[in-house]
């Protein structure tokens, strides 16, 4: 009598691979002939440099620096008040209602910390949103340049070791980005 055993997952995967293997070379051959018909034209963009030099990137940097300074000044002023209040409270350690005042101060301190965290998060969200707008606009600009120049592949310079200078479209991307998005609001 012949007994069947259950196939393990590995054995089933091997069986599936053996069935598919004869199909792979023909699929690869078809794919190779399809891609051989597409001419290769490459463009290189220094994305970080374009964003940094763009008028939108520079306006974002100015806004971010100004908001950081403002937030820091507000936080330091409030911190200075809280330190003075804490020093005055510590001078009254022997007062009968010291524990109540200290508890109120701790609540005030916790609220200040929470406010500082909220300001920081709001800053990060606003900055990230503005940055995203710049990158999305740059991506569209690069797509338009690729269509105009009939490029089939555009790479970020950060992933390219060596390339021909003629392939670099960073200056065109910067000029176009400055036209399309002269500034962003944070």
């Amino acid at each position: 009598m012949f007994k069947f055993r259950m196939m393990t997952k590995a054995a089933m995967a091997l069986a599936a691979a053996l069935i598919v293997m004869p199909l792979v070379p023909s699929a690869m051959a078809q794919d190779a002939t399809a891609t051989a018909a597409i001419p290769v034209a490459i463009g290189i963009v220094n994305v970080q440099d374009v964003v940094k030099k763009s008028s939108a990137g520079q306006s974002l940097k100015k806004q971010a620096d100004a908001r950081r300074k403002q937030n820091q000044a507000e936080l330091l002023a409030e911190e200075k008040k809280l330190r003075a209040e804490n020093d005055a409270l510590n001078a009254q350690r022997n007062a009968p209602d010291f524990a109540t005042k200290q508890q109120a101060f701790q609540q005030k301190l916790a609220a200040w910390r929470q406010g500082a965290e909220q300001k920081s998060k709001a800053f990060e969200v606003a900055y990230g949103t503005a940055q995203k707008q710049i990158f999305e606009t740059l991506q569209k600009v690069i797509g338009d340049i690729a269509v105009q120049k009939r490029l089939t592949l555009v790479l970020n310079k950060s992933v390219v070791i060596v390339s021909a200078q003629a392939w670099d479209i960073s200056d065109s991307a910067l000029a176009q980005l400055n036209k399309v998005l002269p500034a962003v609001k944070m």
Side-chain angles (χ1 to χ4, degrees):
M1 182 173 216
F2 192 79
K3 291 185 179 180
F4 289 99
R5 293 187 183 175
M6 294 187 64
M7 293 179 79
T8 64
K9 288 182 182 179
M12 288 182 5
L14 179 62
L18 292 174
I19 292 169
V20 174
M21 287 286 278
L23 302 175
V24 173
S26 65
M28 287 176 58
Q30 288 174 354
D31 192 36
T33 56
T35 57
I38 299 172
V40 177
I42 299 172
I44 307 292
V45 178
N46 189 338
V47 173
Q48 296 302 90
D49 197 42
V50 169
V51 170
K52 182 179 168 185
K53 289 180 179 178
S54 72
S55 55
Q58 291 176 357
S59 78
L60 177 59
K61 184 180 182 324
K62 283 181 185 177
Q63 292 173 58
D65 289 346
R67 188 179 279 181
R68 273 189 203 104
K69 284 181 183 179
Q70 179 185 0
N71 287 351
Q72 188 176 21
E74 289 172 2
L75 290 173
L76 287 175
E78 186 65 26
E79 181 182 9
K80 189 175 180 180
K81 288 179 188 176
L82 289 170
R83 285 183 190 271
E85 188 176 330
N86 187 42
D87 291 343
L89 182 63
N90 284 334
Q92 301 173 8
R93 281 199 177 268
N94 297 331
D97 60 345
F98 176 76
T100 308
K101 287 181 179 180
Q102 186 178 26
Q103 186 177 19
F105 176 76
Q106 291 300 324
Q107 289 174 348
K108 196 178 208 180
L109 185 61
W112 174 77
R113 286 183 181 141
Q114 187 177 16
E117 286 178 25
Q118 287 174 348
K119 276 187 178 186
S120 177
K121 285 180 185 177
F123 173 84
E124 293 300 325
V125 167
Y127 186 81
T129 301
Q131 236 184 356
K132 183 178 176 185
Q133 183 182 5
I134 294 171
F135 279 105
E136 286 175 350
T137 305
L138 178 58
Q139 186 174 4
K140 289 176 186 171
V141 163
I142 292 169
D144 292 345
I145 293 170
V147 168
Q148 290 170 356
K149 294 189 176 209
R150 297 183 180 176
L151 302 175
T152 54
L153 178 67
V154 177
L155 300 171
N156 189 347
K157 188 161 180 121
S158 67
V159 297
V160 176
I161 297 171
V162 177
S163 69
Q165 184 59 35
W167 291 354
D168 194 332
I169 61 169
S170 297
D171 291 339
S172 300
L174 176 61
Q176 193 68 15
L177 179 61
N178 284 340
K179 284 181 189 175
V180 174
L181 187 69
V184 290
K185 186 163 177 123
M186 191 171 142

